[in-house]
Amino acid sequence: MNLVALDAWIIITGVLCAVAAALLGNFLVLRKMSMMGDAISHAVLPGLAAAFLLTESRSSIPMFIGAAAVGVLTAMLTEWVRNYGKVDEGASMGVVFTALFALGLVLIVRAADHVDLDPDCVLYGAIELTPLDLVTVFGWELPRAVVVLSIVLAIDLFVVLLFYKELKISSFDPNLATTLGISARLMHYLLMTLIAVTTVAAFESVGSILVVAMLIVPPAAAHLLTDRLGWMIVVSVVLGAASAVLGHLGAIWVPSLVGFGSTSTAGMMAVVAGLLFVVAVLFAPRHGLVSKVAYRALLSLRIVREDVLGILVRAEERAAATGMSASELRKATMAGAVPLGIALLQLRVSGRIVRDGGGYRLADAGRVDARNLLRSHRLWETYLSRNLSLADDHVHAPADRLEHVSHLADQLDAVLDRPSEDPHASRIPRGEA
Amino acid sequence: MMAVLAAVSSLSWWPVAAVGGAEVAAGEWFTAQAVMRVVTLQDYNTRVVVLGTGMLGLAAGIIGTFMLLRKRALLGDALSHATLPGIAIAFLTAVAFGGTGKSLGLLLTGATITGVAGVGVILFVRHFTRLKEDAALGVVLSVFFGAGVALMGIVQKTQSGHAAGLESFIYGKTASMTSSDAVLIGVAGLVVALVCALLYKELKLLCYDSGFAASQGWPVILLDVVMMAMVVVITVIGLQAVGLILVIALLVIPPAAARFWTDRMFLMIVIAGVVGAIGSMAGAGVSALTPNLPSGAMIVLTVTAFFLLSMFFGGSRGIVPRWVSQRRLSVRVARQNLLRALYEWAEGHAGRQGFVTVDQARQRPMSRGALLKARSWSVAELGRLLGSARRDGLIEPVDSDRWYLTDQGLSQAQRVVRNHRLWETFLIHFADVAPSHVDRDADAIEHVLAPEMLGQLEELLGQVRAAVPGSPHPVTLPPNDVHSGRASA
C-alpha cells in the first residue's frame, strides 16, 4: 500500500468516525447531556476488560458487545444513582464513570498477564494503524475499521431518520413527547445505546476520549450557526468531516514547522474541531460574538443618525433655525464624538443633511425621514398616554426610545384613529413616502 | 479491536504500586507481616505515599463539597483533562531551552496554566454564547485533551521524551511519590483547608444562593474564582497521585457520599474530608500490599465503596433507611385505615354518627368480606393487618370471620376518625372542596397530621368540640357481607 492510499484510508476512517459521532452528538447537545458522551466513552475500557475476562477470548464480537453494554450500563447507573440516591446529575455521572474506569484499570492489569490490552490505545486510538488491519469484503481488501464504522454509521443514520420526529420532540420537550405517546425514556436509552455502539466502534481509531470531541464539538459549533435541527445536523456532519480531513493534514504538517515528524491524527482532529468551534463562536451569523457586536454597533449608529435628524427637524419646527453645529448636536444627542462623526458623515453622503456654514441643516431627503421619525415619536407618545395611561409629562423619554421602532407607525396611527396632535399639542406630521 | 489488543506496547509505565520497602513478591502478598508493615507505616516510602494521598483525599473532599453544592461537580473533570497540554508544553519548552524537562514544579506550572485557561474558556462559552454548561465542559475537555495528545505525540519524538514519564500524569504513579511531593501536597492541602475555613460563610452563601449573595454585595465572581483556583490546585497536585482521569473521582465521590449522612454543610465537609482521606490511605495501602494493582484505581475504588455504603445505608437519605421509613409509614397508614373502617362500620350500624361506646363496637363486628370491600386490600394483606392489630390488642375476633375494636383500639380509632373529619371540614370550609370529594383528599393527609397542626385546625374550625365529630358528608359503608349474617339497623 503506498503512502497516498495510506493517508486516504486514514482520512476516510476519521471522516466516518466524525460523521457517525456528530450525527448523534446533536441530540446530546440539545438535551444538555453532553457530558454523558464523556461518561459513556470512559466506559469502553472496563467493558473491554470485563468482556475479555468473561469470555477469555480476544475476538472482536464479544469485546464489541461488552464495551457497548458497559456504555449503556453507565447511562443506566447514572440515571439510577440520580433517581434513587437523589444525587445531582453531574455528580452521579462523575461517580459512575470514574468508578467504572478505575475498575477497568484494575481488571486490565489483572488481565495483562494473558493479553496485551493497551489502555493507551483505548484512550488515544491508533488511527495511523487502521489501514494495516485489512479484511476482505466482496473481494475488496478494505481496512477493518472502515468496514465497521461504515456499518455503524449506516445504523446511526437509519435510526436517526426513522425516529427523527420522536428524537426531535423528546430532545426539546420530553414532557410533550410523553403526552404525545412517545416514550421519552425509550428514546433516551435508544440514543444512549447508539452512542455506546458508536463510541466503541470509534475508540479504536480516535481514542475513547477524543470520541467526545467528535460527539460534542461539531454539534456545539453547529448549534451556534443555525436554529433549525435539520440544518444543525447537516452542518455538524460537515464540520466533523472537515475536522477529520484537516486534522490528518495538520498532524503531518504542523509538527514539521517546528522540526518534528508527524503527531497524533486523533489529537489534531480534536484541535481542528476546536478551532472550527472558535470560528463559529466568533463569526456565526446570528449568535457569533463578532456579529453580535457588529449588530449592536450598527444599531447604535442608526439611532444616532435618527436622533440627529429628529433634533434638526425639531429645531426647524421651533424657529425655522438654519442649522446646528457639531458640538450642539453632540450635546443634544449625548453620543460619543466618534459615533456622531460617523453618523454625520453617513447622513451627508446619503444626502440627508448638508453643511451650512459652521453647522448642519436638513436637506430635503433628510426632512422626509425626519418627519417620519417625528411622526413615529409623537404617535408613540399618544399611544403611551392614551393606552398605557402614562402621565403626559412622562411619555417623552420612553417615546424617545420607541420612536426608532418606526415601522409600527402606520399601525399606531390606525389604532389611535389618526390623531392630529400628540399629548403636548404638537402637530403629528402625516405619513410621507 | 484487534489493533488495540495486538498493539505491542511496553507496559513499563504501568502504575504498578511496588511501593519500595514494602515490596512483596507475587504469591506471598497479604501475609500478616506485610499487612502489619503497611498498617503501622513502618516503611519510609509507604509512609510517604499513604500520608501524601491521605492529605490529598482530605483536601479534595473539602473543596469538592463546595463544588458539589455549587452544582459544578464535573468542572473538575474538564479541568483535569485540560492540564495535559500544559504538561506537554512545559516539557517541550524546557527541552527547547536545554533542560531535561523533568522538573516537577515546571510541569505542574504548565498544567496549572492550561487548566486555568480551560476553566476560563468554560466560563466564557457559558456566559457569551447560547451553549449550556454541559456543552462548554464537553468542548473544553475534549479539545484541550486532544491538543494534549497531539503535543504528547511530538514529545514522544524528542530524544528524552520516552524517558520523561509524562504518561504517569494520565494514570497516576503513586509509587513514585517522594517526600517532597508529599510535603507539597500537605502544604497545598493546608492552604485549601485554611482558605475554606476563612471564607466558609461566603462560600456557603455562594453555594446555596449566589443571586442572594450578589444582592448582598458579596463579590460573587471573585469568590467563584477563589473556589476554582482551589480546585485547580488540588487537581494539579492530584495528577501525580491518581492521574488526570481519576483525580475527578476524589473531588466528586467523597462529597457525594457525605451528602447522604447530613444536611449540615460543616458536617458534610468534615465527612467528605474524612472519607477522602481514609479512602485514599486505604487504597494506597492495599495497592502497596498487592503487586500489580494500580494505586490510583484502587484509591478510586475504595472511595467508591464508601459511596455505595453511604448510598444504601447513609443517614436519612440512604436508600435502605428511606425504604424502611416508607415501609413504616405505609404500615401505619394501613393500620389507621383499618381502624377507621371498623369504627365507621360500628358507627353506621349504630344509626348515628359520633361517639361509639365499647359495647356498641362489640355488638357490631365487621366481617373480612366487608373490610375487603371497604379498602383495596388483598386477602393476604388484610390477614397480616388483622393479625398485627390483634397482637397489639387493638381488635378482637368474634368468630373466625368477624372483628370488633377493643377498648384500646376504640380510643385509637376515635383519634383517627377525628383527624379525618377535622381535615375534611377544613377542606370544605377553607379550600372549597365539594363534600362528595373530600373523603379521598383527606385520606391522603390525615395520617401525617402533626399535633400542632391539629391544634390549629381545631382553633380554626371552632365549633368542633365533640370527641368524634360527625362526618360532614354521608359515609358509604361497604355492603354487608352474606357471611356476616348479622344485619343491622
Side-chain angles (χ1 to χ4, degrees):
Chain A
M1 201 181 280
N2 61 35
L3 272 177
V4 176
L6 205 66
D7 284 331
W9 279 127
I10 292 174
I11 288 178
I12 289 172
T13 313
V15 168
L16 287 170
C17 277
V19 169
L23 196 61
L24 303 173
N26 287 291
F27 298 102
L28 277 184
V29 169
L30 289 176
R31 282 160 182 259
K32 307 186 185 70
M33 296 180 64
S34 309
M35 292 305 279
M36 195 58 114
D38 181 47
I40 289 182
S41 68
H42 277 82
V44 166
L45 189 71
L48 292 180
F52 173 77
L53 288 178
L54 282 178
T55 62
E56 295 274 318
S57 97
R58 272 173 40 171
S59 68
S60 292
I61 295 195
M63 290 274 184
F64 196 100
I65 293 172
V70 176
V72 177
L73 187 72
T74 307
M76 292 172 87
L77 281 178
T78 301
E79 203 54 28
W80 189 78
V81 169
R82 192 169 70 105
N83 261 340
Y84 292 95
K86 310 263 181 235
V87 179
D88 164 63
E89 170 149 30
S92 62
M93 219 180 267
V95 171
V96 171
F97 86 77
T98 50
L100 285 177
F101 191 84
L103 192 65
L105 274 181
V106 172
L107 288 180
I108 282 197
V109 176
R110 305 311 297 176
D113 300 339
H114 318 285
V115 63
D116 276 344
L117 259 174
D118 182 0
D120 268 4
C121 266
V122 179
L123 285 182
Y124 315 137
I127 198 167
E128 291 81 1
L129 299 178
T130 49
L132 306 178
D133 182 11
L134 296 172
V135 289
T136 311
V137 181
F138 301 123
W140 295 67
E141 278 220 315
L142 297 171
R144 205 180 44 80
V146 169
V147 176
V148 173
L149 283 167
S150 303
I151 296 170
V152 169
L153 175 60
I155 295 172
D156 288 347
L157 200 61
F158 176 74
V159 176
V160 167
L161 288 177
L162 190 65
F163 292 110
Y164 182 69
K165 185 183 65 196
E166 286 82 354
L167 281 170
K168 184 174 173 177
I169 296 177
S170 62
S171 297
F172 283 104
D173 194 340
N175 294 329
L176 176 68
T178 309
T179 57
L180 290 174
I182 300 162
S183 168
R185 215 180 136 70
L186 192 71
M187 283 299 129
H188 173 74
Y189 283 113
L190 179 69
L191 187 64
M192 293 302 135
T193 311
L194 287 181
I195 286 174
V197 169
T198 309
T199 311
V200 176
F203 84 86
E204 196 183 339
S205 309
V206 293
S208 74
I209 291 175
L210 297 173
V211 178
V212 185
M214 294 296 108
L215 272 172
I216 305 304
V217 184
H223 191 45
L224 296 171
L225 293 170
T226 168
D227 288 332
R228 300 202 63 82
L229 178 59
W231 277 112
M232 183 176 158
I233 293 178
V234 172
V235 171
S236 68
V237 161
V238 171
L239 288 177
S243 31
V245 177
L246 297 175
H248 184 60
L249 298 179
I252 298 169
W253 173 67
V254 173
S256 67
L257 295 181
V258 284
F260 292 107
S262 63
T263 181
S264 149
T265 293
M268 282 309 282
M269 279 170 69
V271 172
V272 172
L275 291 177
L276 293 175
F277 175 77
V278 169
V279 171
V281 166
L282 292 179
F283 301 108
R286 267 192 61 196
H287 303 289
L289 292 181
V290 171
S291 35
K292 269 194 228 164
V293 169
Y295 174 78
R296 277 187 204 140
L298 289 177
L299 181 69
S300 63
L301 263 183
R302 179 166 79 89
I303 288 175
V304 173
R305 282 202 309 272
E306 295 185 349
D307 283 349
V308 168
L309 291 176
I311 284 158
L312 286 174
V313 78
R314 280 191 188 85
E316 268 186 6
E317 210 178 47
R318 270 199 299 276
T322 44
M324 290 174 89
S325 70
S327 63
E328 281 173 323
L329 281 171
R330 194 163 159 215
K331 210 180 279 174
T333 55
M334 292 186 282
V338 176
L340 183 68
I342 299 171
L344 288 175
L345 189 67
Q346 286 176 323
L347 286 168
R348 270 170 63 197
V349 169
S350 63
R352 298 294 196 273
I353 56 172
V354 289
R355 270 199 98 104
D356 183 20
Y360 297 90
R361 65 178 173 79
L362 287 172
D364 288 340
R367 197 164 292 117
V368 175
D369 287 356
R371 274 181 203 284
N372 279 334
L373 274 166
L374 211 54
R375 175 164 180 259
S376 170
H377 179 87
R378 291 180 177 163
L379 282 169
W380 272 115
E381 282 189 337
T382 316
Y383 180 82
L384 291 172
S385 160
R386 277 202 218 161
N387 293 34
L388 298 183
S389 308
L390 282 186
D392 285 351
D393 56 345
H394 277 64
V395 291
H396 180 77
D400 226 19
R401 274 184 275 162
L402 287 166
E403 67 182 15
H404 303 289
V405 191
S406 50
H407 63 274
L408 291 178
D410 286 336
Q411 280 182 42
L412 283 172
D413 199 31
V415 167
L416 296 167
D417 215 10
R418 309 202 181 284
S420 57
E421 286 187 345
D422 73 2
H424 311 300
S426 304
R427 199 179 60 79
I428 297 177
R430 291 265 51 95
E432 289 173 63
Chain B
M1 219 79 43
M2 299 306 278
V4 177
L5 298 169
V8 181
S9 69
S10 75
L11 289 171
S12 60
W13 54 267
W14 267 118
V16 171
V19 176
E23 262 180 42
V24 207
E28 51 174 287
W29 35 294
F30 276 115
T31 59
Q33 200 193 357
V35 172
M36 274 314 288
R37 285 176 72 85
V38 169
V39 171
T40 54
L41 301 180
Q42 278 181 15
D43 302 300
Y44 175 73
N45 273 348
T46 316
R47 206 149 59 215
V48 166
V49 169
V50 169
L51 290 181
T53 51
M55 280 303 294
L56 178 70
L58 179 73
I62 292 173
I63 188 64
T65 306
F66 291 100
M67 294 294 282
L68 181 79
L69 294 175
R70 189 102 176 84
K71 299 208 182 312
R72 295 236 170 104
L74 285 181
L75 192 90
D77 188 28
L79 168 67
S80 62
H81 284 74
T83 55
L84 187 62
I87 294 168
I89 290 172
F91 180 82
L92 288 173
T93 314
V95 170
F97 284 100
T100 59
K102 281 186 189 173
S103 149
L104 182 65
L106 190 71
L107 296 178
L108 292 188
T109 309
T112 310
I113 291 171
T114 51
V116 169
V119 173
V121 174
I122 291 170
L123 296 180
F124 179 86
V125 168
R126 210 186 49 187
H127 268 278
F128 292 101
T129 74
R130 67 196 306 218
L131 294 170
K132 303 291 178 295
E133 172 123 8
D134 67 301
L137 288 173
V139 167
V140 166
L141 180 149
S142 57
V143 172
F144 274 69
F145 193 77
V149 170
L151 287 166
M152 285 296 202
I154 295 177
V155 168
Q156 299 293 336
K157 300 251 158 55
T158 62
Q159 299 253 307
S160 46
H162 267 301
L166 295 193
E167 295 87 352
S168 71
F169 286 106
I170 294 173
Y171 304 98
K173 202 166 182 183
T174 319
S176 69
M177 191 184 280
T178 63
S179 61
S180 66
D181 297 343
V183 168
L184 179 70
I185 292 175
V187 169
L190 269 180
V191 168
V192 165
L194 202 65
V195 173
C196 285
L198 287 176
L199 292 178
Y200 177 65
K201 179 184 63 190
E202 287 80 1
L203 290 176
K204 186 176 176 181
L205 188 59
L206 182 73
C207 291
Y208 283 103
D209 196 337
S210 58
F212 178 68
S215 73
Q216 291 286 300
W218 296 107
V220 169
I221 296 177
L222 189 68
L223 287 173
D224 248 341
V225 167
V226 169
M227 203 161 103
M228 303 289 176
M230 288 191 284
V231 178
V232 169
V233 167
I234 294 301
T235 309
V236 169
I237 58 170
L239 290 179
Q240 269 256 306
V242 285
L244 63 83
I245 296 171
L246 292 179
V247 69
I248 160 80
L250 281 182
L251 285 166
V252 173
I253 302 180
R259 186 72 191 86
F260 287 103
W261 296 102
T262 174
D263 285 332
R264 304 205 56 83
M265 186 157 180
F266 182 74
L267 265 181
M268 186 176 161
I269 292 174
V270 171
I271 296 172
V274 170
V275 167
I278 295 181
S280 303
M281 288 161 80
V286 169
S287 73
L289 275 174
T290 323
N292 243 3
L293 273 185
S295 47
M298 281 319 291
I299 289 172
V300 174
L301 289 180
T302 324
V303 290
T304 305
F306 277 109
F307 174 81
L308 288 177
L309 205 69
S310 308
M311 187 168 85
F312 281 103
F313 305 108
S316 56
R317 295 168 66 101
I319 291 177
V320 172
R322 258 207 338 263
W323 183 82
V324 167
S325 78
Q326 266 168 18
R327 183 81 210 126
R328 268 203 205 119
L329 181 67
S330 71
V331 165
R332 202 177 81 202
V333 167
R335 162 75 59 87
Q336 295 189 349
N337 285 338
L338 175 74
L339 293 178
R340 185 154 70 86
L342 286 167
Y343 190 90
E344 283 182 347
W345 178 268
E347 187 187 54
H349 292 276
R352 80 183 170 83
Q353 287 190 341
F355 196 73
V356 173
T357 61
V358 185
D359 288 338
Q360 283 169 330
R362 195 192 300 268
Q363 279 159 28
R364 298 177 186 85
M366 192 174 183
S367 70
R368 276 173 197 263
L371 276 168
L372 280 176
K373 290 201 179 78
R375 287 272 160 182
S376 55
W377 287 312
S378 69
V379 177
E381 247 176 318
L382 181 63
R384 272 201 301 277
L385 261 176
L386 290 170
S388 82
R390 184 184 182 183
R391 272 195 301 283
D392 291 348
L394 299 177
I395 57 171
E396 276 300 325
V398 178
D399 47 46
S400 66
D401 186 51
R402 292 177 306 157
W403 301 77
Y404 69 92
L405 288 164
T406 63
D407 204 358
Q408 201 190 346
L410 200 62
S411 71
Q412 281 199 18
Q414 278 163 357
R415 232 180 8 253
V416 170
V417 173
R418 181 178 160 80
N419 287 359
H420 178 76
R421 291 185 183 165
L422 280 177
W423 190 253
E424 279 183 336
T425 318
F426 169 77
L427 286 180
I428 291 170
H429 287 299
F430 294 93
D432 275 340
V433 179
S436 54
H437 280 63
V438 288
D439 191 45
R440 274 243 307 276
D441 292 352
D443 215 25
I445 208 147
E446 63 190 57
H447 312 286
V448 291
L449 281 178
E452 317 78 90
M453 220 163 130
L454 279 170
Q456 283 177 3
L457 268 181
E458 281 167 6
E459 215 169 287
L460 205 58
L461 297 170
Q463 74 278 23
V464 188
R465 282 278 165 264
V468 182
S471 173
H473 61 88
V475 177
T476 11
L477 294 174
N480 215 335
D481 195 83
V482 265
H483 301 296
S484 72
R486 188 185 176 116
S488 39

